[in-house]
Amino acid sequence: LTQQRYPVTRLPFSVVSAEDLAAFERILPGGVVTDPEVLEASNVDWLRTVRGCSKVLLRPRTSQEVARILRYCHERNLAVNPQGGNTGMVGGSVPVFDEIILSTTLMNQVISFNSVSGTLVCQAGCVLEELSRYVEERGFVMPLDLGAKGSCHIGGNVATNAGGLRFLRYGSLHGTVLGLEVVLADGTVLDCLTSLRKDNTGYDLKQLFIGSEGTLGVITAVSIQCPPKPRAVNVAFLGCPGFAEVLQTFSSGKELLGEILSAYEFMDAECMWLVTHHLRLASPVQESPFYVLVETSGSRAGHDSEKLSDFLERALSSGLVTDGTVATDQTRLKALWALRERISEALSRDGYVYKYDLSLPTERLYDLVSDLRARLGSQAKHVVGYGHLGDGNLHLNVTSEVFSPSLLADLEPYVYEWTARQRGSVSAEHGLGFKKRGVLSYSKPPEALRLMQQLKALLDPKGILNPYKTLPAQA
Ligand code: FAD
Ligand code: MLT
Ligand code: ZN
């Protein structure tokens, strides 16, 4: 097994044998997949830029089965790639070589829901959108939402510490996840699946696994705090004449909408071009250099619409906003959100996508996009900026007809150096996975990196869990 496509060498893990397959079949009767056609989809990532060559996919249903698989793989020195919905953006969810794919697809049961506290306990393979439906029927919402909701698993969300569209209101999974059950590399089941809001008994171990991208353990169950479902939701989709106005509209929104402001997303004119051309979505407002999506969520429709009208009147009369539309019914709300949520889908139809996910000081966030547009000139098909402006998170994406090494050389390390100069983060919410593991040092000091490597060695001494991911290759 040689790997030509990536500058990485296969580590000396064992190769899956016929005896191994028989052992897996004993642990998971009917849950061992070796059909190359089925494996094809699990070997390639959502962006179709990273591909592995795994020959086996395992589909456990219980934590005990995961434990038995990992105990066996640890003993046999077999590498394992945990996989949820395979919507990750950094190549962490697919094997690099022949790692065994351990999928949570069949671990899709809700374990309990407390309708007083709003605590949901479920298996890791529950699809986010299905969980949303489940809790919404009971008067609650999931504290996170993202464009990949129809496919991503809650375990994958926790493993990537996904941010998404509700971060501004409900914060990070580091706050909303109350407990986790995790199977460690040697098969030990770590039951930290509590539902307590407060628990200061020793180190908060679950936090280690939130955002660990399958490198420290396999998350098998999640306990998560769901907030009450807001009774009134409004979405305003607005056109702004410049980025300065996008920022001022945000400040004004925070001041005038206060506690009901629940999302503040932005996209530039090139993003609008992409979604209207590739996905045939219709723009609801006049053409503008920038667009913002402002969502309010509250408990009294009258109170919220009064606040929103005041905010919009002032934004329009002062010229911060040049055109806008407001939706309150489900169908129109969804249509407005689609313009923003489906940008990544439109980009992947445009060509090869160079994807950057950066945390930057909000006031400088768009400078990098303008700067790159000038730097790259006609080499790039599109240079676009969009993202979770309310969280200081820019999605900077560049497309070209086909992959171009010279374009990449103009982008990297330039983008990372630019970000490091602002003391920003080279991965705000997507993680490092396979594609970005080499750039961690732009955002973390050597002491932090060393401690991360020590933690990895402690929890996974043989390095069988998601090798070649997250941490840079060690010398
Ligand atoms: P996968 O892609 O299968 O895996 C992701 C990583 O987690 C891999 O390293 C994998 O090994 C690991 N992993 C998966 N399951 C487990 C488990 N049970 N235990 C341990 N490790 C595991 N991200 C954001 O943060 N915000 C967004 O707004 C956002 N929007 C998106 C929109 C679209 C259209 C798409 C395609 C992706 C988007 N993402 C976003 C990327 C995001 O990381 C994923 O969508 C999601 O969190 C990953 O979940 P998944 O189940 O697909 O995990
Ligand atoms: C988003 O916010 O749309 C996602 O993080 C996906 C992406 O950046 O393409
Ligand atoms: Zn995002």
Side-chain angles (χ1 to χ4, degrees):
L1 283 162
T2 51
Q3 178 58 276
Q4 306 292 330
R5 287 162 300 149
Y6 309 125
V8 49
T9 314
R10 186 185 183 279
L11 293 169
F13 296 111
S14 304
V15 174
V16 178
S17 65
E19 293 83 73
D20 295 327
L21 291 178
F24 293 142
E25 192 59 44
R26 279 194 296 277
I27 300 171
L28 304 174
V32 181
V33 179
T34 51
D35 178 347
E37 267 178 46
V38 182
L39 274 159
E40 168 67 16
S42 305
N43 265 309
V44 62
D45 71 328
W46 190 89
L47 289 166
R48 307 193 72 79
T49 49
V50 184
R51 189 182 291 273
C53 53
S54 179
K55 304 269 187 304
V56 56
L57 167 75
L58 302 178
R59 288 182 180 147
R61 287 179 187 272
T62 66
S63 315
Q64 286 315 317
E65 288 175 348
V66 175
R68 289 179 66 196
I69 293 165
L70 288 186
R71 202 173 307 132
Y72 183 89
C73 291
H74 190 254
E75 186 73 32
R76 275 275 297 130
N77 197 34
L78 288 163
V80 177
N81 179 172
Q83 189 175 80
N86 194 11
T87 65
M89 290 282 174
V90 286
S93 54
V94 292
V96 177
F97 296 96
D98 58 339
E99 298 89 276
I100 294 164
I101 303 172
L102 180 58
S103 162
T104 50
T105 302
L106 299 182
M107 300 181 70
N108 58 1
Q109 300 299 307
V110 169
I111 298 167
S112 66
F113 182 70
N114 183 317
S115 58
V116 177
S117 64
T119 309
L120 171 74
V121 183
C122 64
Q123 285 191 296
C126 292
V127 171
L128 180 60
E129 194 166 47
E130 283 164 19
L131 290 177
S132 287
R133 205 171 302 126
Y134 179 94
V135 300
E136 284 185 31
E137 280 165 7
R138 289 159 179 79
F140 290 81
V141 289
M142 291 300 286
L144 79 160
D145 184 25
L146 38 140
K149 63 189 125 213
S151 310
C152 64
H153 296 183
I154 190 72
N157 297 147
V158 173
T160 54
N161 187 26
L165 310 165
R166 291 185 183 153
F167 191 100
L168 181 76
R169 164 61 65 89
Y170 302 118
S172 150
L173 288 172
H174 282 293
T176 52
V177 170
L178 302 176
L180 289 180
E181 179 189 65
V182 180
V183 180
L184 303 181
D186 65 359
T188 304
V189 180
L190 183 68
D191 179 359
C192 291
L193 197 62
T194 60
S195 293
L196 307 168
R197 288 301 298 273
K198 303 181 81 176
D199 177 17
N200 281 351
T201 51
Y203 306 136
D204 191 356
L205 295 177
K206 69 170 183 290
Q207 300 296 355
L208 260 183
F209 301 94
I210 303 176
S212 66
E213 301 184 89
T215 62
L216 299 180
V218 175
I219 297 163
T220 46
V222 176
S223 166
I224 190 164
Q225 181 66 42
C226 299
K229 184 177 173 176
R231 290 186 185 185
V233 177
N234 293 288
V235 168
F237 196 90
L238 314 170
C240 287
F243 192 69
E245 286 80 4
V246 170
L247 294 177
Q248 286 172 53
T249 307
F250 180 44
S251 298
S252 163
K254 279 195 286 188
E255 188 192 331
L256 299 174
L257 300 169
E259 79 293 349
I260 65 167
L261 177 67
S262 57
Y264 192 88
E265 298 282 322
F266 94 105
M267 57 197 269
D268 63 17
E270 291 203 34
C271 289
M272 182 60 91
W273 187 90
L274 290 166
V275 294
T276 51
H277 280 75
H278 293 307
L279 307 177
R280 302 268 157 230
L281 301 183
S283 171
V285 294
Q286 279 167 24
E287 218 175 310
S288 315
F290 292 93
Y291 303 90
V292 299
L293 186 153
V294 185
E295 186 192 69
T296 66
S297 305
S299 56
R300 281 241 305 274
H303 167 267
D304 294 6
S305 63
E306 197 179 308
K307 275 184 157 181
L308 186 61
S309 304
D310 181 33
F311 159 71
L312 291 175
E313 264 167 40
R314 292 208 209 182
L316 278 161
S317 62
S318 60
L320 293 182
V321 162
T322 44
D323 189 21
T325 181
V326 176
T328 47
D329 69 281
Q330 272 302 315
T331 314
R332 285 209 63 230
L333 280 177
K334 280 198 172 143
L336 294 181
W337 264 115
L339 292 160
R340 162 63 187 87
E341 283 184 38
R342 296 184 65 191
I343 297 169
S344 38
E345 191 185 330
L347 279 160
S348 49
R349 296 201 191 182
D350 200 53
Y352 185 88
V353 187
Y354 310 77
K355 196 169 265 294
Y356 302 95
D357 162 37
L358 313 165
S359 268
L360 288 168
T362 313
E363 57 289 355
R364 299 241 26 217
L365 197 126
Y366 202 75
D367 290 354
L368 178 57
V369 184
S370 312
D371 182 343
L372 273 177
R373 220 169 253 148
R375 180 180 166 87
L376 301 174
S378 60
Q379 270 195 93
K381 218 173 149 186
H382 290 284
V383 179
V384 311
Y386 60 99
H388 317 288
L389 188 116
D391 310 315
N393 183 181
L394 169 70
H395 291 314
L396 160 70
N397 286 232
V398 177
T399 60
S400 61
E401 214 56 75
V402 289
F403 173 72
S404 153
S406 70
L407 179 50
L408 184 65
D410 275 347
L411 280 164
E412 299 179 18
Y414 186 83
V415 169
Y416 298 126
E417 285 169 353
W418 202 101
T419 304
R421 275 200 297 280
Q422 308 298 322
R423 293 198 62 112
S425 171
V426 292
S427 177
E429 60 170 10
H430 294 163
L432 298 166
F434 177 64
K435 289 183 171 179
K436 303 210 170 149
R437 67 173 182 149
V439 298
L440 170 55
S441 59
Y442 284 100
S443 295
K444 291 282 153 66
E447 295 75 16
L449 185 50
R450 207 172 311 125
L451 190 53
M452 288 186 205
Q453 270 153 346
Q454 287 166 348
L455 284 167
K456 169 73 178 172
L458 177 72
L459 285 164
D460 180 14
K462 292 186 172 179
I464 62 164
L465 279 180
N466 229 1
Y468 327 105
K469 310 285 173 62
T470 309
L471 300 180
Q474 272 178 294

